[in-house]
């Protein structure tokens, strides 16, 4: 999730621990924590190319239902009001005749002063290591300017991903995506739709990624989103 730790996580961890005592044996609660040299979301830095600390808690049931929460520090510039991103999501995933599927709802929560919370509905289908995902703007608290449309479905992100195992258990991944719509432009600070791409390799919690976009060079700035970026990270999962 943007699916990439605040004091609110402590409260979530406590409530999840209490919930776990009443869960049946076929349900699972896990936690995750990680650090990354740069928080990249859809090809764009969310931390002005600085490091991020991230973590979350997930609940999964054998029926395919899941729910979770995730948080990261963010920084979009020296004079902005953003300091954190806190995501909440739920969905349903499974597999049928070698076709995997996943669909759900994801809410992105930011500082109150930002007034830019938004939510998406998403769906994904996959076969083998290949998956196709579509995320659609559901709603937002942001105010739209004249001649801008932040309505349902007016911003979308579609991505194609392929992963395979190489080098004694290392996971090699390839990604391409396209983000478009008035809300996407205004939230990301870009003009028009844009494509992003990435190549990553991961093993035993460690990861290395090379990412980029087709954005034009508008001169030097704190984001440098028109340049190729190299990111390293480490993450851990825990059973609760």
């Amino acid at each position: 999730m943007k699916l990439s730790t605040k004091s609110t996580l402590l409260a979530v961890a406590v409530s999840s621990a209490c919930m776990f005592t009443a869960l049946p044996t076929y349900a699972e609660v896990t936690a995750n924590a990680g650090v990354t040299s740069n928080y990249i979301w859809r090809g764009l830095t969310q931390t002005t190319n600085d490091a991020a600390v991230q973590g979350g808690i997930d609940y999964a049931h054998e029926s395919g239902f899941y729910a979770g929460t995730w948080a990261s520090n963010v920084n979009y510039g020296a004079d902005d009001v953003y300091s954190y991103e806190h995501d909440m999501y739920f969905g349903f995933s499974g597999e049928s005749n070698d076709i995997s599927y996943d669909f759900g709802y994801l809410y992105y929560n930011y500082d109150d002063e930002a007034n830019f919370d938004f939510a998406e509905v998403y769906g994904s289908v996959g076969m083998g290591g290949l998956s196709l995902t579509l995320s659609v703007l559901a709603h937002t608290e942001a105010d739209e300017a004249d001649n801008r449309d932040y309505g349902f479905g007016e911003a979308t992100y579609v991505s194609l991903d392929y992963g395979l195992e190489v080098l004694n258990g290392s996971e090699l991944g390839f990604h391409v995506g396209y983000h478009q719509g008035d809300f996407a432009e205004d939230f990301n600070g870009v003009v028009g739709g844009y494509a992003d791409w990435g190549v990553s390799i991961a093993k035993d919690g460690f990861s290395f990624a090379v990412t980029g976009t087709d954005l034009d060079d508008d001169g030097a700035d704190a984001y440098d989103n028109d340049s190729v970026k190299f990111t390293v990270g480490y993450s851990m999962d825990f059973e609760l």
Side-chain angles (χ1 to χ4, degrees):
M1 298 301 167
K2 179 183 170 187
L3 301 154
S4 344
T5 310
K6 298 293 180 181
S7 59
T8 53
L9 284 181
L10 178 59
V12 174
V14 171
S15 62
S16 295
C18 294
M19 179 178 64
F20 180 75
T21 60
L23 292 178
T25 57
Y26 47 79
E28 182 180 46
V29 178
T30 59
N32 61 84
V35 293
T36 178
S37 62
N38 193 353
Y39 174 15
I40 303 293
W41 180 70
R42 299 177 180 175
L44 310 179
T45 179
Q46 306 296 295
T47 51
T48 58
N49 299 304
D50 289 333
V53 178
Q54 305 169 333
I57 294 177
D58 292 285
Y59 164 77
H61 190 272
E62 68 173 359
S63 65
F65 174 80
Y66 64 87
T69 184
W70 183 90
S72 175
N73 59 287
V74 297
N75 179 11
Y76 300 116
D79 57 349
D80 71 34
V81 296
Y82 293 84
S83 65
Y84 70 86
E85 174 192 330
H86 176 215
D87 301 342
M88 294 166 283
Y89 48 89
F90 63 87
F92 191 88
S93 64
E95 186 173 343
S96 177
N97 297 324
D98 297 325
I99 303 295
S100 60
Y101 55 88
D102 182 8
F103 57 89
Y105 171 89
L106 170 59
Y107 187 86
Y108 299 85
N109 173 46
Y110 299 93
D111 304 66
D112 290 341
E113 297 89 341
N115 194 38
F116 234 96
D117 288 5
F118 68 98
E120 294 177 330
V121 291
Y122 58 87
S124 176
V125 293
M127 174 179 286
L130 186 67
S131 63
L132 176 66
T133 303
L134 174 65
S135 298
V136 176
L137 177 67
H139 58 87
T140 177
E141 68 174 359
D143 296 325
E144 56 190 25
D146 292 341
N147 301 318
R148 309 298 282 172
D149 191 346
Y150 292 174
F152 181 88
E154 294 300 326
T156 60
Y157 181 73
V158 60
S159 62
L160 184 67
D161 294 88
Y162 181 71
L164 70 161
E165 185 175 310
V166 297
L167 300 175
N168 299 320
S170 297
E171 297 178 3
L172 181 63
F174 300 91
H175 164 87
V176 291
Y178 187 78
H179 206 188
Q180 66 84 36
D182 289 346
F183 181 83
E185 294 180 29
D186 296 343
F187 179 80
N188 293 320
V190 301
V191 178
Y194 73 93
D196 73 287
W197 58 267
V199 180
S200 63
I201 188 165
K203 183 177 182 180
D204 298 331
F206 293 95
S207 62
F208 172 74
V210 182
T211 61
T213 71
D214 68 347
L215 292 170
D216 294 331
D217 185 358
D218 292 328
D221 58 29
Y223 310 110
D224 210 20
N225 281 321
D226 57 304
S227 300
V228 174
K229 299 181 185 296
F230 302 88
T231 304
V232 294
Y234 179 74
S235 62
M236 300 177 292
D237 295 322
F238 313 90
E239 290 188 6
L240 299 180

